[in-house]
């Protein structure tokens, strides 16, 4: 059993930055992908970024690339999402997810273990 706990959310003004953390605890062996997803009110959950745990390769949706950076610290069993130049449209609940399987890294169906979410609110 793997438990994911997000932290680092909050409220910032447009142009500001936040760093989300996702700490994995419990049985963390054999995890393949770790990803960040977000869901704004009234909208579907969308992929943000993902990292392949075994080799550190990263993937981003076009709208996030250049502003958001995903990284991991395997020694701490933690994945991060550095968010810069935040915009009001980035306001959403951000979820960390992981899996022991394979699949498209920015597709939510790839993942079967999810954190509780961290709220990010960007004001103008």
């Amino acid at each position: 059993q793997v438990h994911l706990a997000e932290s680092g959310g909050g409220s910032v003004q447009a142009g500001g930055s936040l760093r989300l953390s996702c700490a994995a605890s419990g049985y963390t062996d054999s995890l393949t992908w770790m990803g960040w997803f977000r869901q704004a009110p009234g909208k579907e959950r969308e992929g943000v970024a993902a990292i392949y745990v075994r080799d550190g390769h990263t993937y981003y949706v076009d709208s996030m690339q250049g502003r958001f950076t995903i990284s991991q610290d395997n020694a701490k069993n933690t994945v991060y999402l550095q968010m810069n130049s935040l915009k009001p449209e980035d306001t959403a609940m951000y979820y960390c997810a992981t899996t022991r399987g394979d699949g498209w890294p920015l597709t939510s169906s790839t993942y079967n273990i999810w954190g509780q979410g961290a709220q990010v609110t960007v004001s103008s």
Side-chain angles (χ1 to χ4, degrees), residues 39-71:
Q39 188 168 19
K43 296 186 177 181
E44 294 184 349
R45 186 170 297 184
E46 64 174 343
V48 176
I51 188 166
Y52 198 63
V53 174
R54 297 173 183 175
D55 61 15
H57 287 182
T58 58
Y59 300 84
Y60 303 89
V61 297
D62 289 343
S63 60
M64 316 301 171
Q65 195 165 32
R67 297 191 299 121
F68 291 8
T69 303
I70 189 170
S71 61

Side-chain angles (χ1 to χ4, degrees), residues 24-43:
S25 60
Y27 183 68
T28 60
D29 289 354
S30 301
L31 297 178
T32 52
W33 293 105
M34 294 195 74
W36 286 99
F37 294 78
R38 70 183 187 183
Q39 188 168 19
K43 296 186 177 181

Side-chain angles (χ1 to χ4, degrees), residues 3-25:
H3 176 74
L4 302 179
E6 299 98 335
S7 62
S11 298
V12 297
Q13 292 184 334
S17 298
L18 284 173
R19 190 192 194 197
L20 302 181
S21 298
C22 175
S25 60

